[in-house]
Amino acid sequence: MPFGYVSPAQAMRDKAEYARQGIARGRSCVTLEYDGGILMMAPNPSSALHKISEIYDRIAFAAVGRYNEYETLRKAGITYADITGYQFDRHDVTARGIANYYAQNLGTIFTENLKPFEVEIEVAEVGEQPEGDQIYRITFDGSVTDEPGFVAFGGQADQVSAALKERYSPGMSLSEAFTAALAALQASGNGERNEIAATQLEVAILDRARDHRTFRRIRAARLEELIRESRADSKTPETPDTPATPPAPGTPSTPGAPPTPGTTGASGTTGTSDAPIGPDASGTDRGSGLGGSTPPNPL
């Protein structure tokens, strides 16, 4: 124990700062809703040590921080869900109940232990309808927040969340949600993109259309396909310039327009000429169909 007196407020501040620094050293995790369920994505080079896991039939778990600490929490959550479903009913196991269970444990550890857990976790449940989807974020001190739509936590969460907010919209397809999540994870503070390969990604979904167990990991060929689609969507289409078509000889540029006075005709005399009037050399004639404007970049 340290010598001297430390006020409770100072001790709590020191613990919170210690936990935040440990969590910030990790990589952010992203969870967002799409039209067919809930997508969860996190950078993870390991194929054996998972950040994203199944908790129960329609409930999943994701975490950032110290692996040994959030693995202990994951197993405790599975035990809690199994006992609750066995003693009562499987429908009594909900993401809100598991989130409250985690919050109580983390709050007790943060208050009573000298060292807090350096973890930040998220619990998601997919409903039978999109209105029934639930996403809960639990921090190291036991605080619980309900996150509608999407959430980014751990690592540089504020930066990733800001990038995801620009791209997220309700009712997205799986491909669109994957593109938005990957772009948010690859965004950096200086405006550049940090490319993440398929072998460095851990991706899972809660598929609303599946019966009983809805959790499914996305691997190998399907993951490569989604990455190719996201890279194709991120490219900016280019609109080629269409050269102006000169009018046919002997045809005025504007139907019914009178000849231009003061020009030299074919006979060499000054007066009215029947020569066609071509397009203005100083103007532009782009064949985009939108007055020459270039279409906006896709999201």
Side-chain angles (χ1 to χ4, degrees):
M1 294 295 292
F3 295 96
Y5 171 76
V6 179
S7 66
Q10 183 62 42
M12 294 297 105
R13 285 194 294 268
D14 293 342
K15 288 182 179 181
E17 184 64 23
Y18 176 83
R20 290 193 188 97
Q21 290 178 356
I23 296 170
R25 287 192 291 267
R27 300 289 299 275
S28 300
C29 182
V30 169
T31 299
L32 66 160
E33 301 174 7
Y34 70 99
D35 58 357
I38 297 177
L39 169 69
M40 311 173 78
M41 183 187 301
N44 185 10
S46 175
S47 60
L49 307 179
H50 297 301
K51 292 183 177 181
I52 304 170
S53 301
E54 181 184 21
I55 292 289
Y56 212 59
D57 295 345
R58 308 180 70 86
I59 303 173
F61 166 96
V64 175
R66 285 188 175 272
Y67 176 80
N68 64 315
E69 294 178 347
Y70 67 68
E71 181 67 9
T72 300
L73 293 172
R74 183 188 70 85
K75 292 180 179 179
I78 292 174
T79 302
Y80 168 83
D82 286 341
I83 293 176
T84 303
Y86 178 77
Q87 290 182 338
F88 301 98
D89 188 86
R90 299 187 73 89
H91 294 89
D92 292 331
V93 181
T94 61
R96 184 176 64 179
I98 296 175
N100 290 332
Y101 172 77
Y102 282 142
Q104 294 172 7
N105 282 272
L106 285 173
T108 301
I109 293 170
F110 181 78
T111 304
E112 297 181 358
N113 291 14
L114 182 62
K115 176 196 172 301
F117 272 19
E118 301 171 57
V119 297
E120 197 165 349
I121 62 178
E122 171 262 333
V123 179
E125 179 180 3
V126 63
E128 296 181 357
Q129 300 296 329
E131 297 77 12
D133 294 345
Q134 301 176 31
I135 301 176
Y136 296 97
R137 177 182 181 182
I138 306 99
T139 58
F140 56 87
D141 59 352
S143 301
V144 183
T145 56
D146 181 12
E147 303 285 353
F150 67 91
V151 62
F153 60 96
Q156 306 299 321
D158 294 339
Q159 174 182 312
V160 175
S161 181
L164 186 60
K165 185 177 181 180
E166 298 177 357
R167 296 169 172 84
Y168 174 79
S169 61
M172 303 171 71
S173 65
L174 176 59
S175 177
E176 293 171 341
F178 183 91
T179 301
L182 183 60
L185 290 174
Q186 290 178 342
S188 60
N190 55 7
E192 299 179 354
R193 290 167 57 90
N194 300 319
E195 294 294 334
I196 303 177
T199 55
Q200 298 176 325
L201 273 178
E202 182 179 359
V203 184
I205 62 172
L206 291 172
D207 191 350
R208 197 188 324 277
R210 299 187 71 181
D211 295 330
H212 192 46
R213 298 181 66 177
T214 61
F215 184 85
R216 180 164 62 93
R217 295 190 183 275
I218 298 180
R219 296 190 177 101
R222 180 54 176 157
L223 182 56
E224 292 283 359
E225 179 184 355
L226 289 172
I227 291 179
R228 285 195 301 268
E229 292 176 0
S230 67
R231 289 174 178 171
D233 292 341
S234 63
K235 293 182 179 179
T236 304
E238 297 180 358
T239 303
D241 293 343
T242 303
T245 303
T251 304
S253 60
T254 305
T260 304
T263 58
T264 303
S267 61
T269 60
T270 302
T272 301
S273 174
D274 294 334
I277 301 173
D280 184 6
S282 63
T284 57
D285 185 14
R286 297 169 62 90
S288 64
L290 298 173
S293 62
T294 303
N297 297 336
L299 298 179

